Structures are given as structure tokens and as C-alpha cells.
Amino acid sequence: MHELGIVFHVIKRLENLAAEQNLQQIQSVTLELGEVSGVVPEFLEDGWKWAVKKSPIMENAALKIETLPAVSFCNVCGKTYGTVENGKTCPHCKSEDTVLQTGNEMNIKEIEAC
Ligand SMILES: [Zn+2]
């Protein structure tokens, strides 16, 4: 399961950060998730609830997920458009010479700790 790997990766990063900054408890974590990243937020939340129990510093940490919209750029007409609605085809000029600009990322945006 892809999502569980991400959960472990995020927790590891936060544990390292907590050690560096001498944090006692992490209260919440905000993740930015690209709309076409292929990650299912529900699975991420389930994995999170299970995985944080194993980490004393994280056991009460809430997971907040913010979705980043997917945007593609057209190499032919230079415009951008919503990837989810239009896929690989530019709605302005019908070209398929397009690249995904945002929407495939997964970032740790914010952490609340004490
Ligand atoms: Zn175009």
C-alpha cells in the first residue's frame, strides 16, 4: 500500500525534526497533496491513525490534508489549464504537447508542536 509508505516517510521526517528542535509533542501536521498525485486521502488518514500510535512524540498528532489543484502547461499556446477536467489535451488549442505543472506533489506544509 503506497499510502502507508508515505505515512512512514512523513513520520520519520517529523521525528528527525522533533529531535533537532527538541520538540516534546507534535500536535498536528498539514500535508499538501496534489490532486493527481495518486494518493488517496482516506487511505492516508487510516494509515496515519495506525502509525502515529507507534511513535510517542506523534501519538496525538492530527493529520490535515490540503488538496493542491492540478494545473498543466501547454507548450504550443503557452497557456495553463485544469488537468483534471482536460487531461493531456489543451482546451485552448487542442494540442497534446502539454506538461503537468502542479498537482503531483506531496509536501509537509505546516507543523504544530509544543
Ligand atoms: Zn494550448
Side-chain angles (χ1 to χ4, degrees):
M1 192 166 117
H2 183 51
E3 282 76 8
L4 204 53
I6 295 172
V7 166
F8 283 130
H9 171 75
V10 170
I11 290 178
K12 191 83 213 147
R13 289 251 317 255
L14 295 176
E15 281 177 342
N16 291 342
L17 186 79
E20 272 170 29
Q21 303 197 359
N22 218 3
L23 306 172
Q24 304 303 311
Q25 273 286 317
I26 292 177
Q27 285 161 332
S28 79
V29 180
T30 306
L31 284 187
E32 284 182 329
L33 204 59
E35 210 173 13
V36 294
S37 61
V39 178
V40 182
E42 289 76 24
F43 289 170
L44 210 56
E45 283 165 2
D46 286 349
W48 182 265
K49 280 178 205 149
W50 175 80
V52 289
K53 299 259 183 292
K54 300 180 183 305
S55 173
I57 203 162
M58 305 274 307
E59 59 187 348
N60 297 313
L63 179 66
K64 298 176 191 170
I65 297 174
E66 290 180 6
T67 305
L68 289 179
V71 176
S72 287
F73 176 79
C74 175
N75 287 322
V76 176
C77 71
K79 292 179 180 163
T80 57
Y81 64 88
T83 311
V84 171
E85 303 80 44
N86 300 291
K88 288 190 186 305
T89 308
C90 172
H92 306 293
C93 71
K94 307 297 175 202
S95 163
E96 291 189 5
D97 185 10
T98 59
V99 284
L100 185 67
Q101 218 169 29
T102 60
N104 199 22
E105 53 274 271
M106 209 272 314
N107 304 315
I108 299 172
K109 186 187 176 192
E110 211 179 313
I111 299 162
E112 283 183 280
C114 60

